[in-house]
mmCIF file of all heavy atoms in Angstrom:
data_model
loop_
_atom_site.group_PDB
_atom_site.id
_atom_site.type_symbol
_atom_site.label_atom_id
_atom_site.label_comp_id
_atom_site.label_asym_id
_atom_site.label_seq_id
_atom_site.Cartn_x
_atom_site.Cartn_y
_atom_site.Cartn_z
ATOM 1 N N PHE A 1154 -119.145 -147.934 108.490
ATOM 2 C CA PHE A 1154 -119.859 -149.122 108.987
ATOM 3 C C PHE A 1154 -121.366 -149.072 108.712
ATOM 4 O O PHE A 1154 -122.110 -149.921 109.213
ATOM 5 C CB PHE A 1154 -119.639 -149.265 110.497
ATOM 6 C CG PHE A 1154 -119.985 -148.040 111.296
ATOM 7 C CD1 PHE A 1154 -121.251 -147.794 111.744
ATOM 8 C CD2 PHE A 1154 -118.987 -147.090 111.555
ATOM 9 C CE1 PHE A 1154 -121.564 -146.665 112.447
ATOM 10 C CE2 PHE A 1154 -119.288 -145.952 112.266
ATOM 11 C CZ PHE A 1154 -120.572 -145.731 112.713
ATOM 12 N N THR A 1155 -121.818 -148.097 107.915
ATOM 13 C CA THR A 1155 -123.251 -147.961 107.668
ATOM 14 C C THR A 1155 -123.524 -147.288 106.342
ATOM 15 O O THR A 1155 -122.658 -146.572 105.815
ATOM 16 C CB THR A 1155 -123.949 -147.193 108.800
ATOM 17 O OG1 THR A 1155 -125.356 -147.106 108.530
ATOM 18 C CG2 THR A 1155 -123.365 -145.805 108.959
ATOM 19 N N THR A 1156 -124.724 -147.481 105.804
ATOM 20 C CA THR A 1156 -125.118 -146.787 104.596
ATOM 21 C C THR A 1156 -125.652 -145.389 104.919
ATOM 22 O O THR A 1156 -125.787 -144.560 104.029
ATOM 23 C CB THR A 1156 -126.201 -147.585 103.835
ATOM 24 O OG1 THR A 1156 -127.296 -147.795 104.708
ATOM 25 C CG2 THR A 1156 -125.650 -148.899 103.335
ATOM 26 N N ALA A 1157 -125.970 -145.124 106.180
ATOM 27 C CA ALA A 1157 -126.439 -143.818 106.589
ATOM 28 C C ALA A 1157 -125.228 -142.860 106.706
ATOM 29 O O ALA A 1157 -124.104 -143.300 106.959
ATOM 30 C CB ALA A 1157 -127.159 -143.895 107.925
ATOM 31 N N MET A 1158 -125.486 -141.587 106.530
ATOM 32 C CA MET A 1158 -124.413 -140.580 106.589
ATOM 33 C C MET A 1158 -124.742 -139.506 107.615
ATOM 34 O O MET A 1158 -125.915 -139.233 107.864
ATOM 35 C CB MET A 1158 -124.235 -139.886 105.237
ATOM 36 C CG MET A 1158 -123.718 -140.733 104.134
ATOM 37 S SD MET A 1158 -123.339 -139.655 102.748
ATOM 38 C CE MET A 1158 -123.390 -140.809 101.415
ATOM 39 N N ILE A 1159 -123.696 -138.892 108.153
ATOM 40 C CA ILE A 1159 -123.890 -137.667 108.936
ATOM 41 C C ILE A 1159 -124.190 -136.585 107.922
ATOM 42 O O ILE A 1159 -123.491 -136.447 106.918
ATOM 43 C CB ILE A 1159 -122.617 -137.334 109.721
ATOM 44 C CG1 ILE A 1159 -122.304 -138.431 110.736
ATOM 45 C CG2 ILE A 1159 -122.753 -135.975 110.391
ATOM 46 C CD1 ILE A 1159 -120.949 -138.303 111.391
ATOM 47 N N THR A 1160 -125.250 -135.808 108.148
ATOM 48 C CA THR A 1160 -125.665 -134.815 107.159
ATOM 49 C C THR A 1160 -126.215 -133.561 107.824
ATOM 50 O O THR A 1160 -126.767 -133.625 108.921
ATOM 51 C CB THR A 1160 -126.708 -135.413 106.199
ATOM 52 O OG1 THR A 1160 -127.090 -134.410 105.262
ATOM 53 C CG2 THR A 1160 -127.944 -135.916 106.942
ATOM 54 N N ALA A 1161 -126.071 -132.455 107.111
ATOM 55 C CA ALA A 1161 -126.641 -131.186 107.589
ATOM 56 C C ALA A 1161 -128.124 -131.076 107.251
ATOM 57 O O ALA A 1161 -128.778 -130.140 107.662
ATOM 58 C CB ALA A 1161 -125.878 -130.022 106.989
ATOM 59 N N LEU A 1162 -128.618 -132.043 106.489
ATOM 60 C CA LEU A 1162 -130.033 -132.015 106.087
ATOM 61 C C LEU A 1162 -130.975 -131.945 107.291
ATOM 62 O O LEU A 1162 -131.974 -131.219 107.255
ATOM 63 C CB LEU A 1162 -130.358 -133.241 105.237
ATOM 64 C CG LEU A 1162 -131.801 -133.410 104.790
ATOM 65 C CD1 LEU A 1162 -132.260 -132.228 103.948
ATOM 66 C CD2 LEU A 1162 -131.963 -134.696 104.026
ATOM 67 N N THR A 1163 -130.670 -132.674 108.334
ATOM 68 C CA THR A 1163 -131.584 -132.667 109.505
ATOM 69 C C THR A 1163 -131.603 -131.289 110.164
ATOM 70 O O THR A 1163 -132.635 -130.902 110.716
ATOM 71 C CB THR A 1163 -131.188 -133.750 110.519
ATOM 72 O OG1 THR A 1163 -129.787 -133.682 110.783
ATOM 73 C CG2 THR A 1163 -131.536 -135.133 109.995
ATOM 74 N N LEU A 1164 -130.523 -130.539 110.101
ATOM 75 C CA LEU A 1164 -130.532 -129.161 110.602
ATOM 76 C C LEU A 1164 -131.528 -128.348 109.800
ATOM 77 O O LEU A 1164 -132.343 -127.615 110.345
ATOM 78 C CB LEU A 1164 -129.120 -128.559 110.495
ATOM 79 C CG LEU A 1164 -128.963 -127.175 111.080
ATOM 80 C CD1 LEU A 1164 -127.617 -127.038 111.739
ATOM 81 C CD2 LEU A 1164 -129.137 -126.107 110.057
ATOM 82 N N ALA A 1165 -131.479 -128.483 108.455
ATOM 83 C CA ALA A 1165 -132.367 -127.728 107.593
ATOM 84 C C ALA A 1165 -133.833 -128.119 107.810
ATOM 85 O O ALA A 1165 -134.729 -127.264 107.794
ATOM 86 C CB ALA A 1165 -132.001 -127.941 106.136
ATOM 87 N N MET A 1166 -134.082 -129.391 108.039
ATOM 88 C CA MET A 1166 -135.463 -129.837 108.262
ATOM 89 C C MET A 1166 -136.001 -129.329 109.588
ATOM 90 O O MET A 1166 -137.159 -128.956 109.680
ATOM 91 C CB MET A 1166 -135.564 -131.349 108.136
ATOM 92 C CG MET A 1166 -135.324 -131.795 106.721
ATOM 93 S SD MET A 1166 -135.799 -133.487 106.485
ATOM 94 C CE MET A 1166 -135.438 -133.659 104.765
ATOM 95 N N ASN A 1167 -135.160 -129.327 110.624
ATOM 96 C CA ASN A 1167 -135.584 -128.758 111.892
ATOM 97 C C ASN A 1167 -135.867 -127.268 111.737
ATOM 98 O O ASN A 1167 -136.887 -126.770 112.211
ATOM 99 C CB ASN A 1167 -134.513 -128.967 112.966
ATOM 100 C CG ASN A 1167 -134.631 -130.294 113.650
ATOM 101 O OD1 ASN A 1167 -135.684 -130.665 114.154
ATOM 102 N ND2 ASN A 1167 -133.542 -131.052 113.674
ATOM 103 N N LEU A 1168 -134.979 -126.551 111.057
ATOM 104 C CA LEU A 1168 -135.187 -125.127 110.850
ATOM 105 C C LEU A 1168 -136.490 -124.876 110.102
ATOM 106 O O LEU A 1168 -137.254 -123.964 110.448
ATOM 107 C CB LEU A 1168 -134.002 -124.527 110.091
ATOM 108 C CG LEU A 1168 -134.049 -123.005 109.861
ATOM 109 C CD1 LEU A 1168 -134.136 -122.271 111.177
ATOM 110 C CD2 LEU A 1168 -132.837 -122.567 109.073
ATOM 111 N N THR A 1169 -136.741 -125.678 109.087
ATOM 112 C CA THR A 1169 -138.001 -125.580 108.340
ATOM 113 C C THR A 1169 -139.186 -125.717 109.286
ATOM 114 O O THR A 1169 -140.134 -124.922 109.242
ATOM 115 C CB THR A 1169 -138.046 -126.662 107.244
ATOM 116 O OG1 THR A 1169 -137.000 -126.427 106.307
ATOM 117 C CG2 THR A 1169 -139.381 -126.684 106.534
ATOM 118 N N ALA A 1170 -139.151 -126.710 110.151
ATOM 119 C CA ALA A 1170 -140.247 -126.924 111.105
ATOM 120 C C ALA A 1170 -140.397 -125.752 112.062
ATOM 121 O O ALA A 1170 -141.511 -125.437 112.473
ATOM 122 C CB ALA A 1170 -140.000 -128.227 111.884
ATOM 123 N N PHE A 1171 -139.301 -125.090 112.407
ATOM 124 C CA PHE A 1171 -139.350 -124.012 113.383
ATOM 125 C C PHE A 1171 -139.843 -122.688 112.787
ATOM 126 O O PHE A 1171 -140.357 -121.848 113.519
ATOM 127 C CB PHE A 1171 -137.989 -123.802 114.023
ATOM 128 C CG PHE A 1171 -137.463 -124.987 114.801
ATOM 129 C CD1 PHE A 1171 -136.118 -125.251 114.871
ATOM 130 C CD2 PHE A 1171 -138.333 -125.856 115.440
ATOM 131 C CE1 PHE A 1171 -135.628 -126.330 115.567
ATOM 132 C CE2 PHE A 1171 -137.861 -126.949 116.148
ATOM 133 C CZ PHE A 1171 -136.518 -127.192 116.214
ATOM 134 N N ILE A 1172 -139.688 -122.498 111.475
ATOM 135 C CA ILE A 1172 -140.088 -121.214 110.905
ATOM 136 C C ILE A 1172 -141.360 -121.275 110.074
ATOM 137 O O ILE A 1172 -141.895 -120.237 109.683
ATOM 138 C CB ILE A 1172 -138.934 -120.566 110.089
ATOM 139 C CG1 ILE A 1172 -138.608 -121.383 108.852
ATOM 140 C CG2 ILE A 1172 -137.729 -120.309 110.966
ATOM 141 C CD1 ILE A 1172 -137.633 -120.704 107.899
ATOM 142 N N LEU A 1173 -141.847 -122.485 109.806
ATOM 143 C CA LEU A 1173 -143.069 -122.650 109.003
ATOM 144 C C LEU A 1173 -144.153 -123.303 109.820
ATOM 145 O O LEU A 1173 -143.901 -123.884 110.878
ATOM 146 C CB LEU A 1173 -142.790 -123.522 107.766
ATOM 147 C CG LEU A 1173 -141.740 -123.005 106.771
ATOM 148 C CD1 LEU A 1173 -141.549 -124.013 105.646
ATOM 149 C CD2 LEU A 1173 -142.154 -121.651 106.190
ATOM 150 N N THR A 1174 -145.371 -123.233 109.319
ATOM 151 C CA THR A 1174 -146.497 -123.914 109.950
ATOM 152 C C THR A 1174 -146.385 -125.415 109.652
ATOM 153 O O THR A 1174 -145.653 -125.813 108.742
ATOM 154 C CB THR A 1174 -147.852 -123.422 109.393
ATOM 155 O OG1 THR A 1174 -147.943 -123.814 108.010
ATOM 156 C CG2 THR A 1174 -147.996 -121.902 109.546
ATOM 157 N N PRO A 1175 -147.121 -126.253 110.374
ATOM 158 C CA PRO A 1175 -147.075 -127.702 110.088
ATOM 159 C C PRO A 1175 -147.453 -128.023 108.647
ATOM 160 O O PRO A 1175 -146.808 -128.856 107.992
ATOM 161 C CB PRO A 1175 -148.072 -128.303 111.081
ATOM 162 C CG PRO A 1175 -148.089 -127.319 112.219
ATOM 163 C CD PRO A 1175 -147.898 -125.968 111.577
ATOM 164 N N ARG A 1176 -148.485 -127.373 108.121
ATOM 165 C CA ARG A 1176 -148.910 -127.626 106.735
ATOM 166 C C ARG A 1176 -147.824 -127.216 105.735
ATOM 167 O O ARG A 1176 -147.546 -127.932 104.784
ATOM 168 C CB ARG A 1176 -150.217 -126.867 106.437
ATOM 169 C CG ARG A 1176 -150.674 -127.071 104.977
ATOM 170 C CD ARG A 1176 -151.934 -126.347 104.701
ATOM 171 N NE ARG A 1176 -153.022 -127.069 105.354
ATOM 172 C CZ ARG A 1176 -154.236 -126.597 105.497
ATOM 173 N NH1 ARG A 1176 -154.541 -125.417 105.048
ATOM 174 N NH2 ARG A 1176 -155.160 -127.306 106.084
ATOM 175 N N GLU A 1177 -147.232 -126.064 105.969
ATOM 176 C CA GLU A 1177 -146.142 -125.597 105.101
ATOM 177 C C GLU A 1177 -144.927 -126.529 105.195
ATOM 178 O O GLU A 1177 -144.322 -126.859 104.170
ATOM 179 C CB GLU A 1177 -145.732 -124.172 105.463
ATOM 180 C CG GLU A 1177 -146.798 -123.136 105.160
ATOM 181 C CD GLU A 1177 -146.522 -121.770 105.777
ATOM 182 O OE1 GLU A 1177 -145.662 -121.670 106.681
ATOM 183 O OE2 GLU A 1177 -147.202 -120.814 105.387
ATOM 184 N N THR A 1178 -144.621 -126.979 106.383
ATOM 185 C CA THR A 1178 -143.505 -127.912 106.584
ATOM 186 C C THR A 1178 -143.766 -129.200 105.827
ATOM 187 O O THR A 1178 -142.874 -129.718 105.119
ATOM 188 C CB THR A 1178 -143.285 -128.181 108.067
ATOM 189 O OG1 THR A 1178 -143.031 -126.960 108.748
ATOM 190 C CG2 THR A 1178 -142.143 -129.164 108.301
ATOM 191 N N PHE A 1179 -144.973 -129.740 105.945
ATOM 192 C CA PHE A 1179 -145.351 -130.947 105.230
ATOM 193 C C PHE A 1179 -145.198 -130.761 103.708
ATOM 194 O O PHE A 1179 -144.634 -131.606 103.019
ATOM 195 C CB PHE A 1179 -146.794 -131.360 105.575
ATOM 196 C CG PHE A 1179 -147.274 -132.583 104.873
ATOM 197 C CD1 PHE A 1179 -146.838 -133.843 105.257
ATOM 198 C CD2 PHE A 1179 -148.170 -132.503 103.816
ATOM 199 C CE1 PHE A 1179 -147.263 -134.996 104.604
ATOM 200 C CE2 PHE A 1179 -148.618 -133.631 103.165
ATOM 201 C CZ PHE A 1179 -148.156 -134.879 103.568
#
């Protein structure tokens, strides 16, 4: 019913934010 998908990408992006600095995450 949507063009959006359930994805593991958001898990990876959160993990990135948790282990890197804000500048590195950006």
Side-chain angles (χ1 to χ4, degrees):
F1154 54 87
T1155 181
T1156 57
M1158 292 189 202
I1159 296 170
T1160 179
L1162 177 60
T1163 49
L1164 184 143
M1166 291 193 179
N1167 275 307
L1168 183 59
T1169 297
F1171 298 148
I1172 65 172
L1173 299 177
T1174 66
R1176 178 180 286 169
E1177 292 167 345
T1178 301
F1179 179 75

